[in-house]
Amino acid sequence: MRLARLAASGTPLSPSAIFLTLMDRIIIHADMDAFYAAVETLDNPSLRGKPVIVGGDSPRSVVSAASYEARAYGVHSAMPVIQAKKLCPGGIFLPVRMHRYQEISQKIMEIFHRFTPLVEPLSLDEAFLDVTESRRLLGDGRAMAMKIKETVRLATGLTCSVGVASSKLLAKICSDLHKPDGLTVVAPGEERQLLSGLPIGRLWGVGAKTRDKLRLLGVQTVGDLARLPEELLTAAFGAKHGRNLYLMARGEDHRPVVAGREPKSIGGETTFERDLIEVAALKRELLGLSVQVANRLRQKGLAGCTVTLKVKYHDFRLVTRSLTLARPTCDQREIFRAGETLLEKTDAGRVRVRLVGVSVSSLAPASSVQLDLFSGRERARQRGLHLALDAITERFGKNAVTPARLLGKEDGTKGDDGGG
DNA sequence: TCTGGGGTCCTAGGACCC
DNA sequence: TCTGGGGTCCTAGGACCC
């Protein structure tokens, strides 16, 4: 970074020098247009130009993505599918194919990495890129943004919208200004002017509640917000959130682009088609979720200490109960047992329940012992080999044969193709 | 019209230890 | 017998994002 170079040159770094250097960054925010719907159209070109709506197929599902043609009917993501069907009866409703979106997402992220190693994905379809150090090789921000759009389009057939600015805050706001297929650059020094006319809801972290509260304070635009003193904002919104609002209104955002973030929690949840009252039924669901979560933990090579149960009652009241285990786990039985215990600390059985979820946090790399135990034993079980394994163990002792050896994993043959 | 599922981050209170 | 303050960990809830 420039800072490092400055420091190495022996130049004393005053706070304002650091500030100016940080202001000099080039941050790109790239965001795919109507991603899930666009992928569906890509895979089935006859959908082009039609109102495509991707969402779950149960009665309580919501819309995950809507093509621009569908948005013209007022359909948007997070809207109940039932409502979308009323607004857009001629719409083409498709189920979510997450694996396919993940596949394409990987391609896109690989392209981003050709421009800089500093790529911070925010979801499957968007990422921040700090391209400050790439500019001598690849040209200025606008040139790189154009190149990114072109490369993504050629490789995937999809369009994205890109924002270029000196901070994450502005880059993200810019990428949204001229969607779809947009390219918006804000020059250093023009940040505040661009911000001042925007409704406060455009700021990252300002949702419905904050908006309502700010409205009571007479704030509609970011310009209005910039007139409020910091003390008032911290008193109303807490130290952190208040300070953030104060800084964002001034276009000040020095958050770095962080590549390679590790997940902090992994969980699963289900909303039932009909509310459940029987504890036994809830436990069946909990068991399924525990298996799901444990599998994903092991896939990622992680284990966690804290198990959290989430219960949403019929009236949308949400409660969580959590407990911390002595050791990290990626074992579905341990996760399930913890969930069962936690379920007793809720009103389950007395009140109708709409949703249960379970998640594991305080994550750390799972030990090889934990992973081997499961990968080997679970696979052996799947292949119906556990009987053989048990028999051999019984006759020759525990260490006579490992599940890995039984599956031929140790002589280089593939052991995880899931076949039988 | 009736509200998903995957997450992150922050706050606050209580327990416990020194 | 009464009374501190700071630090850390755990738990619960809430706002927000895509």
Side-chain angles (χ1 to χ4, degrees):
Chain A
M1 287 274 298
R2 291 168 59 90
L3 272 179
R5 244 184 291 128
L6 273 174
S9 73
T11 313
L13 290 178
S14 68
S16 63
I18 292 172
F19 180 69
L20 284 172
T21 308
L22 289 172
M23 285 294 286
D24 225 358
R25 296 183 300 165
I26 305 178
I27 310 293
I28 286 180
H29 179 254
D31 191 0
M32 302 303 295
D33 301 318
F35 185 53
Y36 298 179
V39 172
E40 295 302 334
T41 305
L42 186 72
D43 289 349
N44 179 0
S46 74
L47 299 177
R48 193 165 297 282
K50 295 184 179 159
V52 175
I53 296 157
V54 179
D57 41 14
S58 98
R60 285 176 162 174
S61 299
V62 299
V63 173
S64 290
S67 69
Y68 286 88
E69 292 80 3
R71 292 185 200 188
Y73 290 85
V75 176
H76 57 81
S77 50
M79 168 185 280
V81 169
I82 291 192
Q83 188 188 353
K85 283 189 173 157
K86 286 184 178 149
L87 287 173
C88 185
I92 294 156
F93 289 82
L94 299 172
V96 178
R97 292 189 302 147
M98 199 50 82
H99 285 297
R100 178 66 178 139
Y101 312 144
Q102 276 163 350
E103 203 173 64
I104 305 234
S105 172
Q106 231 173 40
K107 268 198 202 173
I108 295 162
M109 296 298 163
E110 278 166 21
I111 291 172
F112 293 165
H113 277 97
R114 295 182 203 165
F115 291 81
T116 170
L118 290 178
V119 176
E120 180 179 340
L122 290 181
S123 64
L124 285 185
D125 76 317
E126 61 176 298
F128 285 114
L129 290 74
D130 185 332
V131 291
T132 311
E133 295 298 307
S134 313
R135 97 184 103 175
R136 260 176 306 161
L137 272 173
L138 302 173
D140 65 7
R142 180 182 295 275
M144 279 188 273
M146 286 171 65
K147 190 74 186 156
I148 288 171
K149 283 167 62 78
E150 190 195 348
T151 313
V152 167
R153 191 173 48 77
L154 288 176
T156 67
L158 301 172
T159 64
C160 59
S161 296
V162 176
V164 184
S166 56
S167 67
K168 287 172 142 186
L169 172 70
L170 268 296
K172 184 145 171 60
I173 286 173
C174 280
S175 72
D176 209 38
L177 285 181
H178 299 107
K179 260 181 162 302
D181 205 13
L183 167 51
T184 310
V185 182
V186 59
E190 290 174 6
E191 291 90 349
R192 266 194 89 160
Q193 203 206 329
L194 184 139
L195 281 173
S196 64
L198 294 177
I200 32 157
R202 295 298 271 266
L203 293 180
W204 175 266
V206 177
K209 303 278 175 179
T210 305
R211 216 164 41 225
D212 290 351
K213 252 173 139 176
L214 282 171
R215 198 157 292 156
L216 291 177
L217 293 168
V219 172
Q220 306 269 6
T221 67
V222 180
D224 297 338
L225 181 62
R227 283 190 278 278
L228 295 187
E230 186 177 353
E231 303 73 50
L232 189 145
L233 290 171
T234 50
F237 297 99
K240 212 88 180 194
H241 193 199
R243 169 111 181 121
N244 276 340
L245 288 171
Y246 179 82
L247 291 174
M248 280 195 296
R250 285 157 182 72
E252 276 188 42
D253 172 23
H254 302 161
R255 290 170 304 168
V257 172
V258 183
R261 282 185 193 261
E262 291 298 316
K264 309 228 155 137
S265 70
I266 288 180
E269 61 186 65
T270 324
T271 296
F272 314 122
E273 292 196 6
R274 292 214 191 101
D275 299 342
L276 295 181
I277 183 81
E278 293 87 9
V279 172
L282 290 171
K283 285 190 180 176
R284 268 198 301 279
E285 298 290 342
L286 186 59
L287 180 59
L289 291 168
S290 304
V291 171
Q292 224 177 278
V293 168
N295 281 336
R296 283 172 49 212
L297 282 166
R298 294 196 293 268
Q299 265 169 27
K300 293 177 185 280
L302 294 170
C305 283
T306 305
V307 178
T308 302
L309 176 82
K310 180 163 152 182
V311 173
K312 195 189 268 176
Y313 301 115
H314 66 98
D315 57 0
F316 268 75
R317 262 184 312 134
L318 188 70
V319 296
T320 61
R321 297 290 180 265
S322 65
L323 70 81
T324 299
L325 305 166
R327 285 187 322 271
T329 186
C330 54
D331 177 340
Q332 58 261 37
R333 292 160 302 183
E334 282 188 277
I335 296 170
F336 174 65
R337 275 198 292 271
E340 252 186 325
T341 308
L342 292 168
L343 198 59
E344 288 169 16
K345 298 197 201 169
T346 71
D347 288 337
R350 295 182 291 277
V351 179
R352 278 177 293 135
V353 171
R354 177 185 179 91
L355 166 153
V356 290
V358 66
S359 70
V360 175
S361 55
S362 304
L363 299 180
S367 69
S368 56
V369 177
Q370 282 170 311
L371 289 173
D372 267 5
L373 189 71
F374 282 103
S375 56
R377 199 185 285 161
E378 285 298 318
R379 258 184 256 146
R381 214 182 289 275
Q382 276 170 22
R383 291 166 188 236
L385 292 176
H386 61 288
L387 289 175
L389 181 62
D390 289 350
I392 294 168
T393 309
E394 197 178 316
R395 280 193 69 174
F396 301 108
K398 224 176 179 176
N399 298 320
V401 60
T402 64
R405 198 175 300 158
L406 199 61
L407 291 167
K409 201 169 122 188
E410 286 183 0
D411 60 28
T413 42
K414 251 185 146 180
D416 62 352
D417 59 4

